[in-house]
Amino acid sequence: MSRPRAAKYTGYPRVRFGSIITTYRCNAKCNMCDIWQHPTDPKTEIGTEVYSKLPEMDAANVTGGEPFLRKDLDDIVSVVKERAKRVVISSNGWHVEKTLALFEKHGNSIGLRLSIEGLPKTNDEIRGMRDGFDRALRILTTLNRMGVQDIGFGLTIQDWNAEDALELYSLAKMMGMEFASATLHNSFYFHKQDNKFEDTAGALKTLHTIAEDLLKSKRPKDWFRAYFNYGLMNYLQGNPRLLPCRMAHDAFFIEPNGDIMPCNAMDKKMTFGNLRTEAWEDIWYSQDAETAREAVRSCEKNCWMVGSVSQEMKKRIHKPLAWLVKHKVFRKPIQVPALAQHHPNYILDRGGPPAAETMHHELLPKGIRKRHRKGLKVEENADPAKPEQVEV
């Protein structure tokens, strides 16, 4: 098959990053993500024979839904390790025994990031999982004792947890673990168009404080994380990205059914092939792939997620370096970017309730019912792994 002009533009054959969405089943009920309401049928989820067709990658993220709901996750990780130089699993931290067993086998050949959305009370409320914080922390401390190095946690900053985010950053720093930050987005992947900030002041203050502290670190990796956090501030203010997005050029997402798509941040899903039925080269060099790349190049959502940003930071390193010279070398104070009149991701000016009010109450502690809508009750012994809504 002849290569379209886009092949030169993408820098093919090198693929820098792949996000492996193993399932849309999830036992959490996060207020900013409705994936749990749209689970995949395990019978339709691709297996190792399809994952073995993936291209060679610099890095891969094994995610979901909740990947530890896949009974064959060990086999999937083994296959992805053969295709990617670095493999990191994203999880909600509920499945303690499964997680520890996987790392007892794979050790430091893989990494782990657990989603922790705040201190215990806030985390468990946002994620709809009683004792979710305790379970996640148990995983991290146990893996630390086991000598696993590439571990850490992160959160999606919103009104509800803006204050807790700084405490979690400090906790990660004390524990010597990685800390990843993100913020609200609306997209087809999350099945959300009503994620919204009532007031970004708390989030901006937290991100600013974290960025300033990261610049004081002796690790160059932390300096670039400061730049990423500044980019989150810029995104919250509704401004154009600091770096262009080139998803589908040297990075991709694969869904549980084998569909290949540019990313998970678009309003509508854009598929340009299916690995179950096609060879990778036929997908990557197809006209459909070029159409997807053109859509990415013209996308105006200006999202700022690590999957699309980290690769561009490496390719266009002069831009973050210039920012670091200004703020690290010459010690210029970091300024909060100006506020745009319109936010392309709707999180500031779209109608509808803020994210905190879209919380799913069915598995939350009793206290939250006093703070939010009436009309739902909580089963006292409900198991987050077996979600069931009980309406009054």
Side-chain angles (χ1 to χ4, degrees):
M1 176 177 293
S2 63
R3 300 180 182 181
R5 293 177 59 188
K8 180 179 180 181
Y9 192 85
T10 64
Y12 187 90
R14 182 179 183 182
V15 176
R16 294 175 178 267
F17 173 75
S19 184
I20 319 299
I21 306 172
T22 57
T23 181
Y24 281 136
R25 291 175 283 144
C26 190
N27 58 306
K29 294 190 173 183
C30 302
N31 71 317
M32 67 289 194
C33 176
D34 280 349
I35 281 179
W36 62 274
Q37 295 193 80
H38 304 269
T40 43
D41 183 342
K43 296 179 181 179
T44 67
E45 297 169 350
I46 59 176
T48 54
E49 71 283 354
V50 179
Y51 288 123
S52 65
K53 297 164 64 177
L54 287 168
E56 293 184 357
M57 298 167 276
D58 290 353
N61 176 226
V62 178
T63 185
E66 172 49 49
F68 280 95
L69 292 177
R70 287 285 302 248
K71 295 180 179 180
D72 57 347
L73 182 60
D74 179 16
D75 297 331
I76 294 173
V77 169
S78 296
V79 169
V80 175
K81 279 170 55 178
E82 296 175 356
R83 313 306 299 160
K85 298 176 183 177
R86 179 172 179 247
V87 178
V88 175
I89 301 172
S90 295
S91 169
N92 60 37
W94 178 261
H95 301 277
V96 179
E97 293 77 13
K98 291 181 180 179
T99 306
L100 298 181
L102 187 72
F103 276 83
E104 285 176 356
K105 176 177 179 179
H106 294 276
N108 278 312
S109 65
I110 58 175
L112 178 70
R113 296 294 181 273
L114 297 184
S115 296
I116 301 179
E117 302 300 333
L119 297 179
K121 185 175 185 293
T122 301
N123 174 80
D124 294 357
E125 289 178 349
I126 287 179
R127 302 195 73 81
M129 304 172 72
R130 292 196 189 97
D131 301 323
F133 181 95
D134 295 357
R135 285 172 171 263
L137 191 62
R138 187 179 301 279
I139 290 173
L140 292 172
T141 55
T142 304
L143 291 179
N144 180 261
R145 290 195 298 270
M146 291 168 55
V148 179
Q149 299 175 356
D150 191 1
I151 54 176
F153 51 92
L155 84 170
T156 300
I157 296 178
Q158 54 179 291
D159 288 318
W160 205 337
N161 64 4
E163 292 186 7
D164 282 11
L166 187 58
E167 307 306 324
L168 285 179
Y169 165 75
S170 299
L171 179 61
K173 186 177 178 181
M174 288 189 296
M175 296 173 70
M177 295 184 180
E178 306 292 343
F179 180 80
S181 51
T183 191
L184 295 176
H185 287 74
N186 289 298
S187 78
F188 80 91
Y189 170 82
F190 300 112
H191 297 276
K192 296 286 285 186
Q193 292 296 335
D194 59 359
N195 279 330
K196 180 181 176 184
F197 275 88
E198 285 294 284
D199 183 5
T200 58
L204 288 169
K205 181 179 179 181
T206 293
L207 289 168
H208 185 275
T209 301
I210 292 175
E212 290 277 15
D213 191 68
L214 287 168
L215 285 178
K216 299 175 184 177
S217 171
K218 296 181 179 180
R219 297 198 313 165
K221 185 176 182 179
D222 287 340
W223 306 343
F224 287 94
R225 283 183 174 157
Y227 177 80
F228 179 82
N229 277 270
Y230 176 73
L232 284 175
M233 295 165 61
N234 185 68
Y235 163 78
L236 282 180
Q237 295 292 74
N239 295 306
R241 285 172 58 112
L242 302 178
L243 297 168
C245 178
R246 290 297 179 261
M247 295 301 291
H249 294 73
D250 53 11
F252 69 94
F253 277 64
I254 180 171
E255 288 201 292
N257 68 348
D259 281 348
I260 305 296
M261 57 186 183
C263 68
N264 65 343
M266 292 180 167
D267 288 331
K268 295 182 180 180
K269 174 182 172 181
M270 174 171 279
T271 300
F272 59 92
N274 186 288
L275 199 61
R276 189 198 297 268
T277 58
E278 302 171 77
W280 174 259
E281 291 77 10
D282 293 338
I283 296 172
W284 198 242
Y285 290 127
S286 68
Q287 187 55 51
D288 287 342
E290 169 55 11
T291 300
R293 294 177 185 119
E294 180 58 35
V296 169
R297 293 193 289 269
S298 61
C299 179
E300 297 181 349
K301 292 198 70 174
N302 291 329
C303 62
W304 192 257
M305 298 184 185
V306 68
S308 66
V309 174
S310 61
Q311 314 311 317
E312 294 305 312
M313 288 176 63
K314 296 172 184 176
K315 291 188 295 183
R316 306 169 193 272
I317 196 169
H318 63 283
K319 291 191 175 183
L321 278 178
W323 185 87
L324 289 173
V325 168
K326 179 180 179 180
H327 297 289
K328 174 69 177 177
V329 178
F330 292 106
R331 300 183 180 180
K332 296 289 186 180
I334 299 174
Q335 300 294 329
V336 176
L339 177 65
Q341 293 183 349
H342 168 75
H343 199 290
N345 220 288
Y346 326 132
I347 63 171
L348 298 182
D349 53 9
R350 187 179 179 90
E357 293 181 8
T358 66
M359 171 57 91
H360 308 291
H361 301 252
E362 51 269 36
L363 295 177
L364 300 178
K366 288 187 294 183
I368 192 173
R369 284 177 283 162
K370 299 179 181 179
R371 297 169 51 188
H372 295 281
R373 298 183 305 226
K374 297 180 180 180
L376 293 177
K377 69 179 182 180
V378 178
E379 289 291 341
E380 299 303 322
N381 297 316
D383 182 356
K386 299 178 180 179
E388 179 179 359
Q389 184 168 353
V390 181
E391 297 193 3
V392 179

